Amino acid sequence: MKIMLIVGARPNFMKAAPLIAAIREHSRANGQKSLQAILVHTGQHYGEAMSGSFFTDLDLPNPDVHLEVGSASHAVQTAEIMRKFEEVLLAEKPDALIVVGDVNSTVACALVAAKISFDSNGTRPLIAHVEAGLRSFDRGMPEEINRIVTDHLSDLLFVTEESGIQNLIHEGIPNEKIHFAGNTMIDSLLTFKAKADGSVILDKLELRSGPAKNSAARYALLTLHRPSNVDHRETFLNIFDGLQELSTSCPVIFPAHPRTQQRIIEFGLAEFFQLASAPQSTNGSGTCAGANKIRMIDPLGYLDFMCMMKNAALVVTDSGGIQEETTCLGVPCVTVRENTERPVTVSCGTNVIAGTKAEGIRKAIREQVSRPRGSSAPEKWDGQAGTRIIEVIVVELQKKAQESDVASSSPLLTRR
Ligand code: UD1
């Protein structure tokens, strides 16, 4: 059985790695040829910082196929992935296709697979969506469109939290397609947590509080990349206003996504940041120039970023996955968005939704800095999601194979 997996953008890699590991494990246990994984990278994200380093950190094999689509508008990027992926699908004819998350690569490949036909019977791969059912109920988010379309094209929907089941049932998805499997992003977190302790990023950024190997200074970690937050100068400035108080109380480290870095330059906001390369110089009054400014650095690799999250006093973010990772690590998180598609991170985890206005952000930060660390892990966030998903896919493929055996032995069914 051939299972094709799609990765394209940074948040896909840690969701796909446990699935590849589970396929390898299944083959080890059931004979080397029982399952074959084909890894396709669309190239939505590229370069060492946004892609290459994740393959190394997560022990991912090199992609079998690389579509090298790169950056473009949503329509062009999605269309280009579809155009190139159709050829790959026709050449490989996999039995199943796994797409993860909610990025453009996810919806583009699911759409191609849903309409493909390998033979005169209209045979196509079984489509499995990992991280199905999440809804922000905000269709202004490109990811929300990607989630809805992908879910409605998929044959198997693997959800990470209870809300996902309710959302899918509410949209009329049949119960038997929905599987509460857990969270493969958390599988990766649990697998690599100990390895992340070996990262030297805290030393590099001079964030040690003392000579002890595991001593960390008090700092906050910030990420912002959502177009709705960083593509408009006024909104962006308002968010920074909300962060000023925090940046006077502790260093705020900001590994900035390339799109965010571009906007900062375009909007002339660089003066608000202390850039990693700029040495701190004392001014006439003896204070360090830039001492209270947010420290912007380039995007970090998976292990370095996990080390930074684990040791942070607080994480401020507009990412989806980071809300889940901080929940699992028990680190207080402030989400700079009006909503979340991951409500379990608020009800069970450490997350607070702050909105995008300065006052709301300030208030949420004040509340969260005094919050004790620690939380309870959501149901099935136990490191086994990848294994559960592959087990379900194998069973479904076996059922499909039996059905087609029956059909080919019955002339009537074959004619139909
Ligand atoms: C994409 C996902 C988003 C996810 C995010 C994580 C969609 C619709 N969005 O958003 O859900 O949270 O990835 O990072 O799929 N760029 C680079 N190098 C790269 C990739 C991008 O410099 O490797 C720059 C390009 O200028 C590009 C811009 O960043 O135009 C945005 O990249 P894109 O992949 O379009 O969207 P993201 O904002 O990364």
Side-chain angles (χ1 to χ4, degrees):
M1 288 188 240
K2 266 191 194 178
I3 301 185
M4 184 173 274
L5 283 108
I6 306 298
V7 291
R10 185 169 60 172
N12 291 161
F13 305 128
M14 61 295 278
K15 293 172 192 169
L19 296 164
I20 299 205
I23 291 174
R24 283 178 177 161
E25 188 46 44
H26 187 280
S27 292
R28 244 194 306 276
N30 297 277
Q32 280 311 311
K33 295 239 161 71
S34 64
L35 284 185
Q36 183 196 349
I38 305 168
L39 183 61
V40 177
H41 190 334
T42 66
Q44 177 175 345
H45 284 176
Y46 41 87
E48 190 57 18
M50 298 294 284
S51 173
S53 71
F54 289 81
F55 280 75
T56 317
D57 283 359
L58 291 155
D59 294 334
L60 271 167
N62 286 330
D64 298 290
V65 183
H66 205 304
L67 305 181
E68 295 180 340
V69 295
S71 300
S73 70
H74 284 269
V76 171
Q77 188 176 61
T78 308
E80 194 61 8
I81 296 169
M82 289 180 70
R83 199 179 64 75
K84 293 189 168 179
F85 182 58
E86 187 178 47
E87 287 173 26
V88 174
L89 208 51
L90 286 171
E92 293 290 345
K93 296 187 176 53
D95 300 288
L97 174 78
I98 305 182
V99 293
V100 300
D102 55 15
V103 301
N104 288 343
S105 304
T106 311
V107 69
C109 294
L111 189 48
V112 173
K115 293 186 177 183
I116 208 97
S117 182
F118 293 154
D119 55 31
S120 57
N121 292 327
T123 307
R124 63 161 180 82
L126 198 74
I127 306 169
H129 184 206
V130 171
E131 200 189 85
L134 297 180
R135 295 290 182 268
S136 65
F137 303 101
D138 171 6
R139 291 206 182 189
M141 266 180 103
E143 294 83 358
E144 183 76 351
I145 308 287
N146 295 345
R147 291 179 198 123
I148 295 169
V149 176
T150 307
D151 282 344
H152 285 260
L153 295 171
S154 297
D155 304 299
L156 294 172
L157 296 101
F158 294 102
V159 304
T160 52
E161 60 168 279
E162 183 68 35
S163 73
I165 305 174
Q166 302 313 323
N167 294 334
L168 293 173
I169 289 174
H170 185 72
E171 290 175 20
I173 305 273
N175 237 321
E176 59 271 21
K177 287 187 171 186
I178 306 169
H179 299 265
F180 184 13
N183 191 326
T184 61
M185 183 176 235
I186 300 303
D187 289 6
S188 281
L189 184 105
L190 297 175
T191 303
F192 291 100
K193 210 165 135 185
K195 206 170 168 190
D197 289 334
S199 159
V200 294
I201 190 68
L202 295 179
D203 305 282
K204 266 198 197 160
L205 296 174
E206 297 176 352
L207 290 170
R208 292 287 183 201
S209 59
K213 205 172 164 281
N214 55 1
S215 64
R218 189 181 149 71
Y219 66 88
L221 181 63
L222 169 70
T223 81
L224 290 171
H225 75 282
R226 235 155 252 300
S228 56
N229 281 344
V230 304
D231 281 2
H232 308 283
R233 193 171 190 275
E234 286 315 305
T235 316
F236 206 164
L237 275 173
N238 205 264
I239 293 171
F240 279 112
D241 186 12
L243 293 166
Q244 283 316 301
E245 190 176 280
L246 177 66
S247 67
T248 56
S249 71
C250 69
V252 178
I253 314 300
F254 181 26
H257 185 288
R259 84 172 303 125
T260 313
Q261 295 199 22
Q262 278 171 24
R263 296 295 176 262
I264 286 169
I265 293 163
E266 270 170 48
F267 296 157
L269 300 178
E271 58 169 308
F272 287 97
F273 301 94
Q274 179 203 328
L275 302 180
S277 51
Q280 286 193 1
S281 59
T282 49
N283 59 24
S285 64
T287 28
C288 267
N292 293 336
K293 288 184 180 177
I294 291 170
R295 245 173 107 180
M296 184 162 81
I297 58 174
D298 283 332
L300 294 172
Y302 183 69
L303 296 174
D304 286 345
F305 190 79
M306 200 198 301
C307 177
M308 290 291 289
M309 265 194 300
K310 267 181 94 170
N311 290 289
L314 175 73
V315 174
V316 182
T317 189
D318 62 4
S319 149
I322 293 172
Q323 297 171 52
E324 296 182 337
E325 290 171 330
T326 48
T327 283
C328 196
L329 293 169
V331 176
C333 177
V334 169
T335 296
V336 182
R337 282 176 48 187
E338 302 297 340
N339 49 51
T340 181
E341 60 287 331
R342 293 160 159 94
V344 77
T345 62
V346 176
S347 60
C348 174
T350 51
N351 189 21
V352 162
I353 308 301
T356 54
K357 303 278 180 300
E359 195 40 49
I361 296 168
R362 253 192 305 273
K363 188 167 161 280
I365 289 173
R366 280 184 204 142
E367 197 180 306
Q368 288 288 72
V369 284
S370 52
R371 177 188 187 128
R373 291 171 77 97
S375 72
S376 48
E379 195 184 345
K380 296 198 184 176
W381 289 20
D382 57 1
Q384 298 303 313
T387 307
R388 285 187 203 108
I389 290 168
I390 296 304
E391 276 169 8
V392 171
I393 292 176
V394 168
V395 169
E396 289 299 321
L397 287 178
Q398 284 166 344
K399 269 198 234 162
K400 233 178 125 180
Q402 278 163 7
E403 278 163 21
S404 81
D405 281 353
V406 172
S408 60
S409 63
S410 155
L412 261 179
L413 280 174
T414 311
R415 271 206 300 276
R416 253 201 315 237

